[in-house]
Amino acid sequence: MTHLADENCAALSGPEHKLTEAAINVLRVQVPEWSQDAQGRLHRRYGFDNFVDALAFTNTLGEIAEAQGHHPDLELGWGYVVVNLSTHDVGGLSRNDFIVAARIDHLAA
Amino acid sequence: MTHLADENCAALSGPEHKLTEAAINVLRVQVPEWSQDAQGRLHRRYGFDNFVDALAFTNTLGEIAEAQGHHPDLELGWGYVVVNLSTHDVGGLSRNDFIVAARIDHLAA
């Protein structure tokens, strides 16, 4: 199995790129700390000791998002960053969401 | 009337520093673009043309928060930053929230 963190996001558009429940379950093995929120988005919270560290993480994460052309919705404050991923153009989760999730995990590790 | 954006946050703790509805209405005149969300937090959404500009705004806003020792909860993604302010130590809104709101407005102007 190739590692998701070594892959790059592709231009995906259209419902045919929306992952099935079965495909999601296979990919989640590689990003076990992530869950799906009520809206089906791929979701993880990272904790930090202060605001500055949370903001620094956000900036490095932002470089990944910009390089991959795939941008999460973030929540950020004193001691935390929450990352929410989905792919608007497919109407759900795509492989791109898992690639970015795996790359962010590498960053946090 | 002194301008809120010229003030600095003070160390406020305890319910006696929680602003009354009347006091909130007076201060909101200086930050008319802000509203209160369902949880009573002071709330404003700023729009941007891309992710990088939203992240740059977040960083400058973060410098204000760090300098004032008063940190908002932020939502950030492609084209937007949402700022939510409240003061945990008073159990609601304090003058500090309005000071940081006014300073962020100056930044955005």
Side-chain angles (χ1 to χ4, degrees):
Chain A
M1 187 158 62
T2 62
H3 199 290
L4 284 165
D6 297 325
E7 295 184 36
N8 289 300
C9 290
L12 301 180
S13 189
E16 68 273 23
H17 294 291
K18 179 176 172 175
L19 294 173
T20 62
E21 189 89 3
I24 287 170
N25 288 336
V26 169
L27 291 174
R28 274 183 61 178
V29 172
Q30 289 197 46
V31 288
E33 304 293 330
W34 293 69
S35 57
Q36 280 183 273
D37 71 7
Q39 301 153 65
R41 300 181 301 179
L42 203 57
H43 170 94
R44 184 173 176 186
R45 183 185 179 98
Y46 298 90
F48 301 91
D49 292 332
N50 52 51
F51 183 81
V52 169
D53 287 352
L55 186 54
F57 183 75
T58 302
N59 278 298
T60 317
L61 181 169
E63 288 172 24
I64 293 173
E66 202 54 23
Q68 294 295 326
H70 192 57
H71 301 89
D73 290 299
L74 303 168
E75 297 158 45
L76 158 68
W78 197 98
Y80 73 90
V81 175
V82 174
V83 184
N84 299 297
L85 283 158
S86 66
T87 305
H88 187 261
D89 288 344
V90 311
L93 293 183
S94 75
R95 190 173 188 89
N96 288 347
D97 298 309
F98 285 89
I99 292 169
V100 170
R103 285 180 171 270
I104 294 172
D105 273 351
H106 263 224
L107 168 66
Chain B
M1 186 157 65
T2 62
H3 200 290
L4 285 164
D6 297 325
E7 293 184 37
N8 289 301
C9 290
L12 301 180
S13 190
E16 69 274 22
H17 295 291
K18 179 176 172 175
L19 295 173
T20 62
E21 190 90 2
I24 287 169
N25 288 337
V26 169
L27 292 174
R28 274 181 62 178
V29 173
Q30 289 197 45
V31 288
E33 304 294 330
W34 294 70
S35 57
Q36 280 185 272
D37 70 7
Q39 301 153 67
R41 299 181 302 180
L42 203 57
H43 169 95
R44 184 173 176 184
R45 183 185 179 98
Y46 297 90
F48 300 92
D49 292 333
N50 52 51
F51 183 81
V52 168
D53 288 352
L55 186 53
F57 183 76
T58 301
N59 278 296
T60 317
L61 181 167
E63 288 172 24
I64 293 173
E66 200 56 19
Q68 294 295 327
H70 192 56
H71 301 89
D73 290 299
L74 304 168
E75 297 158 45
L76 158 69
W78 197 98
Y80 74 90
V81 175
V82 174
V83 183
N84 298 298
L85 283 159
S86 67
T87 305
H88 186 260
D89 288 343
V90 310
L93 292 184
S94 75
R95 191 172 187 91
N96 288 346
D97 298 309
F98 285 88
I99 292 169
V100 170
R103 287 180 171 270
I104 294 171
D105 273 351
H106 265 224
L107 168 66

